[in-house]
């Protein structure tokens, strides 16, 4: 269908970072179904191996690279392995993060630093390493997966909010910094998603009443936007955070 | 995933669908499989775009409509439902192109204020009101409002346009919060500078793409994929969102483009840590 031609990712190489939340297989599968080969990077206990299976199930090539993604040498190694295998990186999806909730006065130095290291520093390191590559190859797409905490405050979440806000501003600033280099940098602000089955959600449904769409989201709810922002169809979009949250952000 | 972008069996209305970006929206929705209604004040342009959409195999209607007249808006919806069976997607695109210079606030009379607010805001309210019960009753629907960068930032002497476009963002959020429970989602698209015939006609000189971070103005057909995304089931959990397709203009601002300070870091401040 003609309307889809700009969305096609055939021949594109994506690097998606994974964590323990279980979203990565959905994102990797969506990119693969649109035609991309996908490299997955994350620590040994993360969902990157599941993600690789979903890529292969879609008939595309997958590469798993185990990495904690917080040190520059390690991240540079990840990028080197991807380019050694596929020659290029067209799409970077910074999906890996940790969740953390604790009153600020009880938050330890180590906890604060870990949240910043895992949620901000690793995004910086990946943007820098992959960005150098994209600038040299003449273009690319970066998609930072953040959450509503990039915009809204939340009790017991100062560290998480500070980290998400940093990712949002990294997105805006890099969108401008690389604007003339054909590298587009955008973010997706995920709402309250659940990779669990509805049965596991029971007992936590109180919050659903406050989501205008009256349901929790699923990782797959982000996939249409993810493919859009990964493709040529979004060439005039950069520096944006787009929220997919069932209306939570629109609500008081 | 791309299957979710199919709009087969969907019915979409685009107000202001005869010209400018509205025309591209009609063609993109038709290209994705939707039956389309081009609504607009002037019969010539909407008939023309409906003919083009039909030539690509879509069912297409041109329905002359002044969206500032609520009776005519109600007739637009009634005729669409009569001929195409339902309304799945409403794109509130009709509006006036921003007046070139605007006017100092002391020169704006009551009538002018209401005229521009009506065209850019009240029409979107009338159209949303006219489809809301229909969509809610069916348990699904997509409302897409078209705002502007001037809806999010001030514009010198652009009182009515900026106020109306800003209000469209709030209309979006209020529709999202109110109708989400019925399965109706509402989102807002903010196009940046796209040279279309309307913009050309109202401007003595088009701003150069140099003022836009990515270095060019938008291509009218680039609005299509964003509209198809928001009209399709691929965006079912997007609700109340506003995002810009503007070459990076709103990520910073027009003024700082090219302003790229290099400021050395005072490492002594860090205590050498």
């Amino acid at each position: 269908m003609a309307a889809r031609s700009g969305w096609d990712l055939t021949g594109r190489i994506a690097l998606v970072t994974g964590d323990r939340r279980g979203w990565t297989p959905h994102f990797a599968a969506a990119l693969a179904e649109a035609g991309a080969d996908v490299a997955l990077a994350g620590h040994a206990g993360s969902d990157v191996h599941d993600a690789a299976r979903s890529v292969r199930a879609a008939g595309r090539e997958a590469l798993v690279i185990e990495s904690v993604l917080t040190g520059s040498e390690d991240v540079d190694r990840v990028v080197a392995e991807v380019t050694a295998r596929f020659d290029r990186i067209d799409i970077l999806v910074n999906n890996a993060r940790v969740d953390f909730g604790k009153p600020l006065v009880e938050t330890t130095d180590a906890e604060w630093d870990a949240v910043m290291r895992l949620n901000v520093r690793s995004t910086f390191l990946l943007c820098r390493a992959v960005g150098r590559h994209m600038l040299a190859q003449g273009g690319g797409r970066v998609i930072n997966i953040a959450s509503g905490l990039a915009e809204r405050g939340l009790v017991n979440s100062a560290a998480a909010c500070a980290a998400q806000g940093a990712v949002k501003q990294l997105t805006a600033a890099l969108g401008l910094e690389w604007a003339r280099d054909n590298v587009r940098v955008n973010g997706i602000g995920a709402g309250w998603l659940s990779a669990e089955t509805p049965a596991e959600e029971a007992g936590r449904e109180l919050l659903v009443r406050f989501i205008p769409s009256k349901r929790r989201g699923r990782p797959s709810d982000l996939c249409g936007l993810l493919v859009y922002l990964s493709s040529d169809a979004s060439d005039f979009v950069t520096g944006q955070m787009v929220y997919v949250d069932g209306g939570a952000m629109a609500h008081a | 995933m791309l299957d979710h972008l199919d709009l087969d069996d969907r019915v979409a209305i685009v107000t202001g669908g005869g010209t400018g970006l509205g025309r591209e929206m009609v063609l993109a929705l038709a290209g994705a499989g939707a039956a389309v209604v081009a609504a607009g004040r002037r019969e010539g342009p909407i008939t023309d775009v409906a003919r083009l959409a039909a030539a690509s195999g879509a069912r297409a209607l041109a329905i002359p409509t002044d969206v500032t007249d609520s009776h005519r808006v109600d007739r637009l919806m009634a005729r669409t439902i009569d001929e195409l069976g339902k309304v799945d997607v409403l794109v509130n695109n009709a509006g006036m192109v921003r007046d070139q210079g605007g006017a100092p606030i002391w020169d704006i009379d009551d009538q002018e204020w209401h005229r521009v607010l009506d065209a850019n805001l009240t029409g979107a309210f009338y159209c949303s009101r006219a489809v809301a019960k229909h969509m809610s009753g069916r348990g699904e629907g997509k409302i897409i409002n078209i705002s502007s960068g001037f809806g999010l930032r001030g514009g010198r002497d652009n009182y009515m346009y900026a106020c109306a476009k800003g209000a469209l963002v709030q209309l979006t959020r209020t529709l999202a919060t109110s109708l989400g429970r019925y399965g109706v989602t509402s989102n807002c698209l903010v196009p940046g500078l796209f040279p279309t015939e309307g913009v050309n006609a109202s401007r003595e000189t088009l701003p150069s793409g140099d003022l836009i971070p990515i270095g060019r103005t938008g291509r009218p057909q680039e609005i299509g994929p964003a509209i198809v995304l928001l009209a399709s089931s691929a965006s079912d959990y997007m609700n109340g969102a506003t995002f810009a397709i503007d070459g990076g203009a709103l990520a910073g601002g027009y003024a700082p483009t090219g302003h790229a300070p290099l400021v050395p870091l005072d490492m002594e401040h860090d205590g050498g840590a």
Side-chain angles (χ1 to χ4, degrees), chain A residues 28-199:
Chain A
L31 295 169
E33 284 165 21
D37 294 322
V38 185
L40 288 314
H43 62 82
S46 72
D47 53 11
V48 290
H49 290 284
D50 286 344
R53 276 190 286 278
S54 73
V55 169
R56 294 186 187 111
R60 308 305 313 185
E61 224 180 306
L63 171 68
V64 172
I65 305 161
E66 289 186 2
S67 164
V68 291
L69 303 171
T70 53
S72 60
E73 283 178 18
D74 200 31
V75 167
D76 290 346
R77 173 184 63 85
V78 168
V79 172
E81 285 190 34
V82 178
T83 54
R85 169 75 169 271
F86 295 113
D87 288 329
R88 51 190 299 121
I89 304 177
D90 300 290
I91 300 154
L92 167 65
V93 182
N94 282 308
N95 165 59
R97 86 163 181 253
V98 291
D99 292 326
F100 178 65
K102 199 175 191 182
L104 186 81
V105 293
E106 293 167 20
T107 299
T108 65
D109 295 12
E111 286 167 341
W112 176 273
D113 288 343
V115 171
M116 292 301 154
R117 196 165 56 242
L118 294 164
N119 293 358
V120 183
R121 189 170 204 264
S122 85
T123 303
F124 153 66
L125 293 174
L126 279 148
C127 284
R128 187 177 63 181
V130 176
R132 282 174 180 149
H133 196 81
M134 287 177 171
L135 295 177
Q137 79 187 5
R141 297 282 186 271
V142 178
I143 297 103
N144 295 322
I145 309 290
S147 81
L149 299 190
E151 197 77 41
R152 293 276 178 94
L154 184 66
V155 174
N156 289 349
S157 302
C161 289
Q164 292 291 290
V167 170
K168 178 195 169 198
Q169 280 297 80
L170 184 70
T171 302
L174 285 183
L176 291 177
E177 193 158 319
W178 296 338
R180 301 272 165 129
D181 301 293
N182 198 29
V183 178
R184 305 287 175 253
V185 186
N186 294 288
I188 299 178
W192 193 36
L193 305 192
S194 176
E196 301 167 5
T197 64

Side-chain angles (χ1 to χ4, degrees), chain A residues 198-215:
Chain A
E200 291 171 291
E201 293 171 13
R204 282 180 283 168
E205 290 310 295
L206 181 69
L207 279 170
V208 169
R209 290 192 355 228
F210 294 92
I211 300 173
S213 288
K214 301 295 175 201
R215 68 167 172 92

Side-chain angles (χ1 to χ4, degrees), chain A residues 1 4 7 33 176 179-180 184 212-213 215-217 221 224 228 233 235-240 242-247 250-251, chain B residues 1-3 5-6 31-32 176-177 180-181 210 212-216 218 222 225-226 237-239 241 244-248 252:
Chain A
M1 178 156 289
R4 286 190 198 166
W7 300 67
E33 284 165 21
L176 291 177
R180 301 272 165 129
R184 305 287 175 253
S213 288
R215 68 167 172 92
R216 292 180 70 167
D221 284 316
Y228 173 69
D235 194 54
F236 202 50
V237 182
T238 200
Q240 288 289 303
V242 187
Y243 293 92
V244 183
D245 62 3
H251 198 281
Chain B
M1 204 302 299
L2 295 183
D3 292 344
L5 297 169
D6 270 347
T177 308
R181 75 189 67 185
D210 282 350
I212 294 168
I214 74 161
R216 66 170 176 87
E222 286 183 305
Y237 203 58
M238 284 185 76
N239 193 17
I245 170 164
D246 68 350

Side-chain angles (χ1 to χ4, degrees), chain B residues 13 15 39-43 46 62-80 123 126-127 129-130:
Chain B
I13 296 174
T15 68
R41 274 176 306 165
R42 289 181 294 138
E43 193 150 6
I46 55 173
I63 304 183
T65 308
D66 175 355
V67 294
T68 67
D69 177 342
S70 65
H71 297 292
R72 299 199 60 187
V73 167
D74 291 344
R75 284 208 297 274
L76 164 68
M77 300 310 166
R79 194 176 148 203
T80 302
Y126 287 161
C127 291
R129 183 177 64 182

